[in-house]
Amino acid sequence: LKKIAKDLNFEKIAKKVFGKDVALEMIDSYYSEKSNKKIIDWHCDIADASSNPSINYDVNRSAIKFFIYMSDVQSGNGCLAYIPYSHHVVKAVYQLIYEKKISYEPFWKLEDLRFLISKNQTKNLIIDIIGKDKLNLFLKNSKFINEKDKDTSKFDFEMNKGSAVIFDEFGIHRGSMPSKNSRLVLRFFYRKKN
């Protein structure tokens, strides 16, 4: 598995993304049986860490994740979807919680995150960190969660077996239902070195 990462230049890519030296933190795999249920709904991987700010999680050390698909995925069949720029919003929320500028509330689910940032005080503090344009873009891109289906295929990454998608762990994403076949992915996590 490390040879795969080396052959595909993952470290070089991660270093370019972060502009710093990086370390491979973890390799794992994720298998999902064929099903009529989503693999996982719209969420943020790192949001639960903020429930205990004493963990002292450094938002500047977020990981990027490389997903290599070992099976074909399409919309409605196991693909990952990612809301662009959502990682900026989540990092701002985490920073505000850690700095005790807002109280912790669960925001792992997209609905909860949108509720948390809808509060005027929180919204204004987020704008101070990331700007109004990025926040408004996130709100526009995520409004589907308030509609009947609570989902969209707009941000789906349809991939062939052997393809990879790279994303920031703070971003909001989901795995669609593997309706046609089981899904297998290899995951590589890179983080900035201290």
Side-chain angles (χ1 to χ4, degrees), residues 156-194:
D156 286 359
F157 288 97
E158 295 191 350
M159 312 286 280
N160 293 324
K161 180 179 178 178
S163 299
V165 63
I166 306 166
F167 65 97
D168 185 307
E169 72 180 336
F170 275 91
I172 301 292
H173 56 285
R174 66 107 173 92
S176 66
M177 70 179 78
S179 60
K180 298 177 186 173
N181 51 269
S182 298
R183 184 189 84 160
L184 176 64
V185 295
L186 292 177
R187 304 189 302 180
F188 298 78
F189 296 52
Y190 284 83
R191 205 174 293 283
K192 292 178 196 174
K193 286 185 177 176
N194 288 334

Side-chain angles (χ1 to χ4, degrees), residues 27-86:
I27 302 171
D28 71 2
S29 62
Y30 195 126
Y31 176 76
S32 304
E33 289 281 347
K34 182 178 172 182
S35 172
N36 62 355
K37 294 180 182 175
K38 289 179 196 164
I39 292 169
I40 193 163
D41 216 339
W42 291 97
H43 70 287
C44 169
D45 291 339
I46 204 68
D48 284 342
S50 62
S51 64
N52 183 3
S54 65
I55 291 172
N56 195 19
Y57 188 88
D58 183 355
V59 296
N60 296 312
R61 288 198 66 242
S62 63
I64 60 168
K65 298 180 178 182
F66 293 75
F67 268 41
I68 299 178
Y69 285 96
M70 305 308 290
S71 52
D72 293 341
V73 294
Q74 304 88 25
S75 286
N77 185 42
C79 72
L80 180 123
Y82 189 94
I83 300 176
Y85 305 106
S86 57

Side-chain angles (χ1 to χ4, degrees), residues 38 41-42 110-111 144-152 174:
K38 289 179 196 164
D41 216 339
W42 291 97
L110 176 55
E111 301 99 308
F144 65 84
I145 204 70
N146 295 327
E147 296 167 2
K148 184 180 177 186
D149 292 338
K150 296 188 174 289
D151 201 3
T152 182
R174 66 107 173 92

